[in-house]
Amino acid sequence: MISEAEIKNRVREVAAQMSKDLKGKNPLLLAVLNGAFVFAADLMREMTIPCEISFVKLASYQGTTSTGKVKEVIGINEDLTGRTIVIVEDIVESGLTMKQMTESLGTRNPEKVHICTLMFKPDRLQTDLTIDYVAFSIPNDFIVGYGLDYDQQGRNLKDIYVVKN
């Protein structure tokens, strides 16, 4: 579906835009595990401004189906007061996970919370959500590769593929 070269190019473009927009902010990139770890690492390496990274693990998928329930597995230890936060996500579909996460982060007094996603499925969005940085808008296909998995397999693929049932 999307080649390694296309991915690298878009990650570079998104990082350049973030670096421009967030200059002087020392943003905290908050990468959502497991899916966003590859994207977050590549994104951070392309950033041209000082930034930090931390991780949170949320679970809402089982196989190819969302369970509809978000469970925070690993929390945030950093003080977020007055910080610019960028949630780095692998894929936004319904938006419910990101909505819950931004509301949760909002209680920790950050200056601003941005959302950056590798993949966005606009046709699946079920909530009012501002996604500041989108690498790719895609149709409602189940995808694998570049950190995204199918039952924990395929994260190591350099390209992104559509899973056919």
Side-chain angles (χ1 to χ4, degrees), residues 132-146:
D132 305 279
Y133 305 99
V134 176
F136 297 97
S137 289
I138 62 169
N140 189 30
D141 293 323
F142 192 87
I143 55 175
V144 64
Y146 193 69

Side-chain angles (χ1 to χ4, degrees), residues 95-162:
L96 299 174
T97 300
M98 285 298 95
K99 185 81 165 173
Q100 181 178 330
M101 191 165 173
T102 55
E103 289 170 359
S104 175
L105 291 174
T107 66
R108 306 205 33 195
N109 303 312
E111 178 183 319
K112 180 84 174 148
V113 177
H114 300 275
I115 298 172
C116 175
T117 188
L118 175 66
M119 300 288 171
F120 174 50
K121 294 182 179 181
D123 295 340
R124 295 284 312 272
L125 195 62
Q126 297 176 18
T127 187
D128 184 28
L129 189 66
T130 299
I131 305 172
D132 305 279
Y133 305 99
V134 176
F136 297 97
S137 289
I138 62 169
N140 189 30
D141 293 323
F142 192 87
I143 55 175
V144 64
Y146 193 69
L148 294 104
D149 73 299
Y150 176 70
D151 280 338
Q152 298 302 320
Q153 299 298 307
R155 291 190 196 278
N156 60 316
L157 298 170
K158 293 179 181 180
D159 305 302
I160 293 174
Y161 299 87
V162 174

Side-chain angles (χ1 to χ4, degrees), residues 61-81:
Y61 270 82
Q62 191 165 26
T64 61
T65 309
S66 175
T67 62
K69 298 175 186 171
V70 177
K71 178 182 173 192
E72 186 168 345
V73 180
I74 301 171
I76 304 155
N77 300 319
E78 289 78 11
D79 180 6
L80 304 184
T81 304

